Amino acid sequence: MTSLRSALTRLFAEAGSEGFVHVRDLDTGAEAGHGADTRVVLASVFKIPIALEYARQAADGFLDPAARHTVTAAYRAGGSGTDGCAHDVEMSTRDLAFMMMTISDNAATDLLLDVVGADRVRGTLDGLGFEGFGVSSCRDLDDTIRRELGLDPDRSLDDQLAGVPPERLAALSVGDPARSPSSTPREVTALLAALWRDEAGPARACAEVRGLMGQQVWQHRLVSGFPEKGIRIAGKTGTDFVVRNEAGVVEYPDGGRYAVGVFLRTASPADRQPAADRAIGRAARAVVDHLRSRQDGLRRS
């Protein structure tokens, strides 16, 4: 275990990052990690419990997945998906969840959070024993950034960030786990385990969240560590200036299933950091390989 931690420390350092990781074997309960109980900024990983609450309410008949909602300018800030649309977009409740989980659409996230209720998301997390798992609207986080940087609240945030010095971006509260939605890698993999074991709600709801996570389009973090044919990954990324994350489940053709959470704080707030992105996949693979080799050793003995 000491050698694994040393290898992970070197791996993260080579990527110009500080990293924290936890991996949980969903079938045996075996686990391993590095800084697994350190509080980390979740960024868009907090969208997983929002999707869970939507799916639970849909499964219970509390809301209609086909009900229509309009993403108006009040929700749009210029990001991915409907968040960057020039005009109002109408879609179903289910498709808001789809856009949130597959391309991390912030506008869809905030509208969906209004539909399901932030208090109900919090209640579900607390009821499942995840009291430390933070959640927020994307709008609230953007407003916090505007206040800290003294930006115009009525203008697009992205349009105003170009001239902000990197050191000021790195110091924003959205990158501080004490001031932004946070959790620990171990708690994140426990939530994933509950989803994959149908313990986080009705089996139908858990299956829907798993299906949404399996359609995420981003293939540059966890996936980069598991290029082999037949290995399936369902995940959710999170990115915010110096924060780079992904949490998900890796499933092997032999039936092995591993909940993974990798959380990085990078030295730079640059948008493009391919070395850090690859480090997420490499770290996840190193810990999964460690668990699989340990299990092989137990079987041989």
Side-chain angles (χ1 to χ4, degrees), residues 97-113:
F98 174 77
M99 297 293 279
M100 174 180 72
M101 296 303 289
T102 58
I103 59 174
S104 211
D105 184 330
N106 287 344
T109 298
D110 284 356
L111 180 48
L112 183 64
L113 186 59

Side-chain angles (χ1 to χ4, degrees), residues 65-289:
R68 312 301 293 179
H69 307 276
T70 302
V71 182
T72 65
Y75 290 97
R76 299 193 301 269
S80 301
T82 66
D83 199 33
C85 289
H87 308 289
D88 290 356
V89 178
E90 182 183 285
M91 64 178 61
S92 68
T93 316
R94 179 270 174 192
D95 288 347
L96 290 172
F98 174 77
M99 297 293 279
M100 174 180 72
M101 296 303 289
T102 58
I103 59 174
S104 211
D105 184 330
N106 287 344
T109 298
D110 284 356
L111 180 48
L112 183 64
L113 186 59
D114 284 349
V115 170
V116 303
D119 57 336
R120 292 180 67 93
V121 177
R122 182 74 267 154
T124 290
L125 282 168
D126 292 349
L128 292 171
F130 301 113
E131 294 92 347
F133 202 112
V135 178
S136 171
S137 71
C138 302
R139 177 176 52 242
D140 285 349
L141 294 176
D142 285 352
D143 286 346
T144 298
I145 294 170
R146 288 188 179 93
R147 286 194 300 272
E148 291 181 16
L149 296 176
L151 303 179
D152 186 339
D154 298 321
R155 288 180 54 207
S156 166
L157 179 60
D158 287 347
D159 291 344
Q160 300 181 76
L161 291 176
V164 178
E167 59 271 18
R168 292 196 68 192
L169 297 177
L172 288 168
S173 63
V174 292
D176 180 355
R179 297 182 290 165
S180 189
S182 63
S183 182
T184 68
R186 194 187 305 274
E187 185 177 45
V188 170
T189 64
L191 175 59
L192 292 172
L195 279 164
W196 257 255
R197 294 171 181 159
D198 291 339
E199 297 168 353
R204 173 183 161 192
C206 293
E208 181 164 11
V209 178
R210 295 195 298 267
L212 291 171
M213 292 178 66
Q215 297 179 77
Q216 179 181 236
V217 302
W218 313 126
Q219 303 290 303
H220 59 306
R221 292 185 182 169
L222 276 184
V223 172
S224 69
F226 302 88
E228 297 93 331
K229 184 178 180 180
I231 297 179
R232 296 185 301 172
I233 295 178
K236 182 68 198 77
T237 58
T239 311
D240 213 338
F241 301 115
V242 294
V243 172
R244 263 174 160 69
N245 308 326
E246 189 164 0
V249 170
V250 180
E251 299 185 67
Y252 278 73
D254 64 9
R257 304 182 302 163
Y258 306 89
V260 177
V262 186
F263 299 83
L264 269 59
R265 181 179 177 86
T266 64
S268 164
D271 289 337
R272 298 180 182 179
Q273 300 192 53
D277 291 334
R278 287 192 298 271
I280 290 174
R282 292 175 61 200
R285 184 58 183 259
V287 184
V288 169
D289 283 352

